[in-house]
Every structure is written in C-alpha cells, then in structure tokens.
Amino acid sequence: MKGMLVIISGPSGSGKGTVVKNLKYALSISVTTRKRRETEEHGVDYFFCTEEEFIRMRENDELLEHAAYVGKFYGTPRKYVEERIDKGEVVVLEIEVNGAIQVKEKFPDAVLIFLIPPSIDDLAKRLAFRNTEDSLEIEDRITRALEEIELIDRYDYLVVNDDIPVTVSEIETIVTAEYLKPHRSKDRIEKFAFAKTSNIAEASHQI
Amino acid sequence: MKGMLVIISGPSGSGKGTVVKNLKYALSISVTTRKRRETEEHGVDYFFCTEEEFIRMRENDELLEHAAYVGKFYGTPRKYVEERIDKGEVVVLEIEVNGAIQVKEKFPDAVLIFLIPPSIDDLAKRLAFRNTEDSLEIEDRITRALEEIELIDRYDYLVVNDDIPVTVSEIETIVTAEYLKPHRSKDRIEKFAFAKTSNIAEASHQI
C-alpha cells in the first residue's frame, strides 16, 4: 500500500514543531542553499545545494514548493517525498500556508492539516512565554494567524492543539481514516474483485 | 457541536447488518407504508404511515431518499435525521447504493461508507453459509456486488469487513476524523478567532 504526504501548518505559537517531533512518521527533508552548520548533516537535516542546483531543480519541476528566506532558498524535493510514499511511508511536511497550498496543487493526494491553539488569547500567551518576540511582533503574529485561518477551507482538517498527546493521537486518527478513502484503496478493491476475471458461477458453487 | 449522518452500504453478505448493530451510534428510523408486525413499534422500528401520507411527504421533499420494495414504500425522514444531528448525535443509515447517492445529493455533509468482504470468494462463502439463497441467487448477488463496487468513487470511505470489532473501530475512527474537517469546525474557528472582535494589541499585552 502507498504511503501519504501529510502537511502540517499553523500559526507561529500553535505548537506545531513539538507536535511534529512527537509523530511516529518520517519527516520530509528540505533542500536549501543556505550554508550547512557544523551540527547539521547533508541528507539528514537538509539537502544542501548551490544556488545553480536549486534553480535547475525548480525549473525541472523537481520541487513541490519553494520559498526564499533571508536571501536563501528552501524547497521540498518531489523525488525524496515520492520515493518514501511509494515505499508505503507517511511523510510529514511542516510548512506555512502558501507552501502548503502550492504542494496541494502539485500533489492533490497530500493531506493538509491546520493546527491552532484553542484561542487567540492562548496564542498570545504562548508567544509571550517564549520570550523571543516583543509585543509588536506578537501583535503581528496574531494578525497573521487571523489572516491564515481565513484560508482554512483550503485545508482538509483543523486540529486544536490544546494538549500534545491528544493532538498527536488526532493526527494519527486522520491518517488511519485517510487510508480508508477509496482513492487510496485501489489494491483492496482489486483484491475484492479478483474473482471477476474467473468464473462467477464457479465462485458461487465452490463452497 | 452538530452531529453527522453516516451512511453504510455494502453488498448483501458484507455483514453490514451486524456491523451497524455494534456501532455506538443511533440508527435512523425509516418511514414505510407496509403493515406493522405485532412485534414492531411505531417510532422505534419504523414510522408507519398510509400511502397518501407517504406520497405527501415525498412531494414536500420530506424524504432524503425513498424506494419501493414488494409494492410497499420505504423512505428516510429528513426531519427526524436533521433533528438528531442538530442535537449533536451521529445517525447511522444502512441503505443500498442508489439510496445512498440520493441522500448525498440532498445532504452533502453525509459521510458515505462502503463495506465489502475481503474478496468475492468470501462473499460467496458468507452467502452460502446463510443458506437462504440458492446458487443462482448467489451468482446474482455476486454480479450485483461487482456492479456496486464500480460506484465506489461516489463513496467517502471503503472498509473491508474481515473482523467485526476491527470494522466497528474503523468506522468510529472515520467519524472522529470527520469531526476534524473544517466545515464541521465552525464553532472551534469562532472560538479561536474570538479576540478578533476585541483589540488585538490588548491580547498581545494582557499576559
């Protein structure tokens, strides 16, 4: 059975990083043109490449999505994702809303999950607790979160992240249910209808 | 939170009757023009009505689907289903393929689940085991099952019924995942975005 691509998005402060780390599925590895840090490994943390290589990949439609951040390129390699899915693995991609919508267009079988905290007030509290943003930045992130939730209809599922273990189990429930969709069940349908090619009358007598 | 309508179809011999009885959800009650049997109760087993009443309901679009069987009418009362869903209940309707497709057209939020045995040979064995059909009838039911599976893309899920407890748990998983769809999450989205109506800057400071 084929695996599937699960995309998880959510506002900064939704806790998606922690959730993703606690899932039992493989994480997708991004391609990037930024410099490798000492602690990072090629093919584990990122696929590091030159700008020329990145542009070539983008032009050859080898990236499911791509974005620039602080002058460096980041992208999701189609081949890596497809190979793992063909092997039957669930591949998780943590990515922002625009990237997620890009991937869904190229890869309609992807499952898009949007993660939110229970309320805007919780979001503000979580962001303040991190102590990495000042109140203007927090205001900005809240505004962005409210803009992002307007795009929720482009997503397949909405999960409220109130408690990590519950959220992790809800995402696993989504994956189990997705495996039961007809378009992911070609092999089970074939197995069921197998006798079609032999004689039906025979099947009804062979007991 | 609103409930949902879950429709379960499957070939004769798929075991859907047993599965439905083992679900923790309420069963829909059909309207019928056939005579009440001594053991049956109005409003529990069926809503019994006259042919005139049935025709009036049908004309007033009060039935989600209807069919005739041995000269009697059967239908699913829209009002009964909608009231229970509004109360937050999951209502299960066991119905054949054409009826299921009729309901989905009138009620797009309905979740359609198709149940099959692992293979045509299993189906033949189960039908023979019941000992209520002769081999020609079995042949006929197998042919119909193979025709029905062609319509699988009209369904939302396909469940292979190999083991009743597993099947029951898969259907419950589907219901849980369906509750996480954005169009069933209006209340959670409202709750999240509540601070939108108050001052965002305030939310970012109120910690």
Side-chain angles (χ1 to χ4, degrees):
Chain A
M1 189 156 55
K2 274 187 94 169
M4 71 181 81
L5 177 59
V6 174
I7 298 179
I8 298 185
S9 308
S12 177
S14 61
K16 58 184 186 301
T18 314
V19 168
V20 159
K21 261 180 231 126
N22 280 279
L23 290 171
K24 58 184 176 187
Y25 312 121
L27 273 175
S28 173
I29 301 171
S30 298
V31 187
T32 184
T33 61
R34 85 151 164 74
K35 244 189 105 156
R36 185 174 72 79
R37 291 175 195 144
E38 276 227 350
T39 54
E40 291 175 336
E41 213 177 307
H42 179 83
V44 176
D45 301 289
Y46 285 96
F47 295 110
F48 297 96
C49 72
T50 63
E51 215 166 284
E52 294 70 42
E53 287 170 323
F54 193 95
I55 290 167
R56 189 191 47 71
M57 286 181 85
R58 203 177 56 191
E59 282 169 358
N60 292 344
D61 200 28
E62 289 172 29
L63 300 173
L64 289 178
E65 56 78 40
H66 53 86
Y69 181 70
V70 207
K72 298 296 175 192
F73 294 135
Y74 295 81
T76 301
R78 179 195 287 274
K79 196 177 157 218
Y80 176 80
V81 169
E82 285 182 345
E83 279 175 0
R84 306 205 70 154
I85 289 174
D86 285 343
K87 272 188 208 157
E89 285 181 51
V90 174
V91 181
V92 175
L93 183 56
E94 183 201 329
I95 201 175
E96 49 71 54
V97 174
N98 292 322
I101 292 171
Q102 272 185 58
V103 177
K104 185 79 174 180
E105 276 161 13
K106 296 201 182 192
F107 209 92
D109 275 1
V111 178
L112 268 58
I113 302 175
F114 197 80
L115 220 63
I116 54 170
S119 74
I120 282 293
D121 294 341
D122 284 285
L123 185 64
K125 269 179 216 152
R126 288 185 198 186
L127 289 168
F129 186 75
R130 294 207 299 210
N131 225 357
T132 50
E133 290 100 346
D134 62 32
S135 65
L136 259 184
E137 281 172 317
I138 292 179
E139 206 179 309
D140 183 55
R141 288 193 190 282
I142 289 174
T143 308
R144 207 179 322 156
L146 289 168
E147 282 165 13
E148 284 177 356
I149 196 85
E150 299 286 330
L151 294 166
I152 189 64
D153 286 336
R154 306 290 293 266
Y155 276 72
D156 300 304
Y157 299 94
L158 172 78
V159 174
V160 176
N161 180 29
D162 197 9
D163 179 56
I164 301 283
V166 173
T167 302
V168 164
S169 132
E170 285 185 336
I171 293 172
E172 290 174 2
T173 296
I174 288 170
V175 169
T176 307
E178 279 289 329
Y179 270 123
L180 300 172
K181 296 245 165 156
H183 71 275
R184 300 191 204 275
S185 308
K186 302 293 173 217
D187 50 347
R188 286 178 296 152
I189 295 171
E190 268 169 39
K191 196 182 162 197
F192 169 71
F194 181 68
K196 204 177 185 177
T197 53
S198 79
N199 196 319
I200 292 169
E202 205 175 288
S204 67
H205 281 285
Q206 72 183 198
I207 314 102
Chain B
M1 190 156 57
K2 274 187 92 168
M4 71 181 81
L5 177 60
V6 174
I7 297 179
I8 298 185
S9 308
S12 179
S14 61
K16 59 184 185 303
T18 314
V19 168
V20 160
K21 261 181 234 127
N22 281 278
L23 289 171
K24 59 184 174 185
Y25 311 122
L27 272 175
S28 174
I29 300 172
S30 298
V31 186
T32 184
T33 60
R34 86 151 163 73
K35 242 187 108 158
R36 185 173 72 80
R37 290 176 197 142
E38 277 227 351
T39 55
E40 291 174 336
E41 213 179 309
H42 179 81
V44 175
D45 301 288
Y46 284 96
F47 296 111
F48 297 95
C49 72
T50 63
E51 216 167 286
E52 294 70 42
E53 287 170 324
F54 192 96
I55 290 167
R56 189 191 49 72
M57 288 181 83
R58 202 177 58 191
E59 282 170 358
N60 293 344
D61 200 26
E62 290 171 29
L63 300 174
L64 289 177
E65 56 78 39
H66 54 86
Y69 180 70
V70 207
K72 299 296 173 191
F73 294 136
Y74 295 81
T76 302
R78 180 195 286 273
K79 195 176 158 219
Y80 177 80
V81 169
E82 285 182 344
E83 279 176 358
R84 306 206 69 156
I85 289 174
D86 285 342
K87 274 189 208 155
E89 285 182 49
V90 174
V91 181
V92 175
L93 182 57
E94 184 200 328
I95 201 175
E96 50 70 53
V97 175
N98 292 322
I101 293 170
Q102 271 185 58
V103 178
K104 185 79 175 181
E105 276 162 13
K106 297 202 183 193
F107 209 92
D109 276 1
V111 178
L112 269 57
I113 302 175
F114 198 80
L115 221 64
I116 53 169
S119 73
I120 282 294
D121 295 341
D122 284 285
L123 184 64
K125 267 179 216 151
R126 288 185 199 187
L127 289 168
F129 186 74
R130 294 206 301 208
N131 226 357
T132 49
E133 290 99 345
D134 62 32
S135 65
L136 259 184
E137 282 171 314
I138 293 178
E139 206 179 311
D140 183 55
R141 289 193 189 280
I142 290 174
T143 307
R144 209 182 317 159
L146 289 167
E147 281 164 13
E148 284 177 354
I149 196 85
E150 300 286 329
L151 294 167
I152 188 65
D153 287 335
R154 306 291 293 267
Y155 277 72
D156 300 303
Y157 298 94
L158 173 78
V159 174
V160 176
N161 181 28
D162 197 7
D163 179 55
I164 302 282
V166 173
T167 302
V168 165
S169 132
E170 286 186 335
I171 293 172
E172 290 174 0
T173 296
I174 288 170
V175 170
T176 307
E178 279 289 329
Y179 270 123
L180 300 172
K181 296 246 167 156
H183 71 274
R184 300 191 204 275
S185 308
K186 301 295 173 215
D187 51 345
R188 287 179 293 152
I189 295 170
E190 269 169 38
K191 196 182 162 197
F192 169 71
F194 182 68
K196 205 178 184 177
T197 52
S198 77
N199 197 316
I200 292 168
E202 204 176 289
S204 68
H205 282 285
Q206 72 183 196
I207 312 102

